Amino acid sequence: MSTDLHWLLTRNWTSYQVRQGNGTPTFSREADNLMNISSPKYSGALGHSIGVRETKDKGFTFYHRKEDASVHHVAKGRETQTISKQDGLHRSAKQASAITGSGQRPELSRVAAARIHALYAARRSKKSKSKKAKKTEA
């Protein structure tokens, strides 16, 4: 089944959709959706998914489907690359852009870099909140 047909069949009937009201865009909670927007470009349910996740050691795992992978081999068809926490923000974003740009989805290179920036910002806000809580307790 083509990705266009798959999108037309599932775009209004997926359990990952989040609709907040009239006039607002439809969001998605799919694991491989970089922008969390329900659209065929960013959808993780289609065959060309790309994702960035934070690892336990505060690094990142960047993964995508191999170009020649069969749809029946899910684990074998996924290619992963780990970006360590020592690489820093800009180097991590550059690596994600290079991986995406050289592969099958070059239009998502900026989006992958923005996702890494957002994950770093979330990590910084958690640190600042914990430091503020410790100061108020003392």
Side-chain angles (χ1 to χ4, degrees):
M1 179 172 14
S2 72
T3 57
D4 294 331
L5 179 61
H6 188 282
W7 175 252
L8 288 173
L9 292 174
T10 61
R11 68 179 172 177
N12 292 326
W13 301 100
T14 178
S15 63
Y16 296 114
Q17 280 188 345
V18 178
R19 294 182 181 160
Q20 296 181 346
N22 293 338
T24 59
T26 303
F27 294 102
S28 175
R29 281 184 256 145
E30 293 173 334
D32 298 342
N33 194 329
L34 291 174
M35 293 290 289
N36 294 337
I37 296 174
S38 182
S39 74
K41 181 177 180 179
Y42 302 117
S43 177
L46 301 179
H48 50 267
S49 61
I50 291 176
V52 177
R53 290 190 184 153
E54 194 170 9
T55 59
K56 291 180 182 178
D57 63 343
K58 303 297 184 195
F60 296 102
T61 301
F62 183 81
Y63 55 93
H64 62 94
R65 297 270 313 157
K66 294 178 184 176
E67 291 181 30
D68 57 346
S70 171
V71 294
H72 303 292
H73 298 102
V74 177
K76 292 179 183 178
R78 181 166 288 193
E79 185 176 356
T80 61
Q81 183 170 358
T82 304
I83 301 169
S84 69
K85 68 177 181 179
Q86 288 86 12
D87 286 343
L89 172 64
H90 296 294
R91 183 177 285 173
S92 301
K94 273 188 178 180
Q95 286 179 350
S97 296
I99 295 166
T100 311
S102 64
Q104 57 199 15
R105 298 296 302 272
E107 72 270 12
L108 293 181
S109 61
R110 282 187 167 179
V111 177
R115 181 68 170 192
I116 288 178
H117 280 276
L119 289 172
Y120 263 101
R123 185 185 302 161
R124 271 191 305 234
S125 68
K126 286 180 187 176
K127 285 182 181 178
S128 65
K129 286 180 183 177
S130 64
K131 287 180 183 177
K132 287 180 185 177
K134 288 179 183 177
K135 286 181 182 179
T136 57
E137 290 176 1

